[in-house]
Amino acid sequence: MAEPYAVARVLASEQVQQSGALFIDIGGGTTDVALVRHGGIEGTRMFALGGRAFTKSIADHLDLPFPRAEEIKVDYAKGAKLANRAEVAKIVADDVAIWSAGVELVLEELAEGDLLPSRVFMCGGGSHLPEIGAVLRSEEFWKRLPFSRPPEVMVMSPAQVERIRDGTHLLVDQQDVTPLGLAYQAIELQTNEDPLDVALRRVLRAMKM
Ligand SMILES: Nc1ncnc2c1ncn2[C@@H]1O[C@H](COP(=O)(O)OP(=O)(O)OP(=O)(O)O)[C@@H](O)[C@H]1O
Ligand SMILES: [Mg+2]
């Protein structure tokens, strides 16, 4: 079986084939969620909240131009020392709380009354904010949803993309999973159909990766 991509590897594992996984792509404009359960993709949902909204909040609250607010957000996510770190943290936390309500809503819908898989893979630039992972790991979050146990929340990085060699060495970040995903799709279109690959391809397409 082809093992072109981290998701494929994950899907191929006995564990995930049996218990599934959630994929959450926090982009600039949208957050995309895909549910893989019972060995296939069961559904995807998207909502229009992502990194740009977080930047916009910082810009509004601190009365800064958007590009400056973007710098501050990235520095903040890096853990850099900022004079107004506490203030930024508060703005981000408030936004992430709203974002988390969005995720909760779509997960509830996707779950359709059945259990959700306890494995969550995050990608997209927005997943850099520590609050994003923290909220998904928090008891307040997962206890409200049909998880059978605390979910294991992981970042999907290009390092996990095995088959496509990045000749440029420029793709190092979790937001670069997208171009690699596209490269993967291009390659994968030429290979034999495997039910798992088909499911994976649908996930990638649905997530616009
Ligand atoms: N280091 C970082 N810390 C915090 N946010 C970041 C970081 N790097 C990127 N982002 C944010 O991630 C967002 C872009 O993510 P990504 O590149 O995944 O989006 P996209 O695929 O272009 O957008 P979409 O999926 O909505 O079409 C931007 O809002 C950007 O500010
Ligand atoms: Mg994207």
Side-chain angles (χ1 to χ4, degrees):
M1 195 199 74
E3 293 195 346
Y5 191 60
V7 185
R9 249 178 37 225
V10 169
L11 282 171
S13 78
E14 198 92 336
Q15 223 173 13
V16 168
Q17 279 212 45
Q18 276 165 21
S19 51
L22 285 168
F23 296 90
I24 306 183
D25 177 358
I26 307 108
T30 69
T31 294
D32 296 80
V33 181
L35 166 63
V36 174
R37 200 169 53 177
H38 308 131
I41 173 154
E42 284 210 345
T44 60
R45 291 284 186 286
M46 182 270 268
F47 60 97
L49 192 54
R52 267 203 300 280
F54 305 152
T55 304
K56 179 78 169 49
S57 283
I58 294 171
D60 290 349
H61 281 88
L62 302 181
D63 196 19
L64 295 169
F66 190 90
R68 180 65 193 129
E70 177 72 16
E71 279 172 12
I72 288 177
K73 182 183 77 174
V74 171
D75 282 348
Y76 170 80
K78 264 193 232 152
K81 231 166 132 187
L82 293 170
N84 53 354
R85 193 169 171 90
E87 204 179 347
V88 175
K90 170 83 173 74
I91 298 164
V92 170
D94 287 351
D95 269 5
V96 171
I98 296 166
W99 175 85
S100 128
V103 175
E104 210 180 301
L105 216 71
V106 300
L107 287 184
E108 221 166 74
E109 237 178 81
L110 283 169
E112 293 182 331
D114 218 345
L115 281 181
L116 285 169
S118 297
R119 237 173 232 91
V120 180
F121 293 93
M122 301 188 293
C123 62
S127 61
H128 281 284
L129 281 170
E131 282 81 355
I132 294 278
V135 92
L136 297 175
R137 291 181 186 97
S138 73
E139 191 165 312
E140 306 83 75
F141 177 79
W142 67 262
K143 280 248 164 117
R144 276 201 289 264
L145 288 160
F147 286 108
S148 59
R149 57 192 165 87
E152 193 188 344
V153 181
M154 292 152 285
V155 165
M156 218 157 55
S157 69
Q160 294 171 292
V161 182
E162 293 203 315
R163 198 162 91 181
I164 304 152
R165 215 166 41 86
D166 167 26
T168 65
H169 300 291
L170 292 170
L171 307 176
V172 291
D173 197 63
Q174 61 232 52
Q175 72 215 25
D176 303 324
V177 167
T178 302
L180 283 168
L182 288 169
Y184 155 63
Q185 277 187 290
I187 290 168
E188 200 51 19
L189 283 171
Q190 298 154 17
T191 66
N192 293 335
E193 295 278 303
D194 175 290
L196 211 53
D197 289 339
V198 176
L200 167 64
R201 214 154 48 230
R202 280 198 215 116
V203 174
L204 293 171
R205 210 178 293 133
M207 292 175 78
K208 297 178 296 170
M209 287 174 86

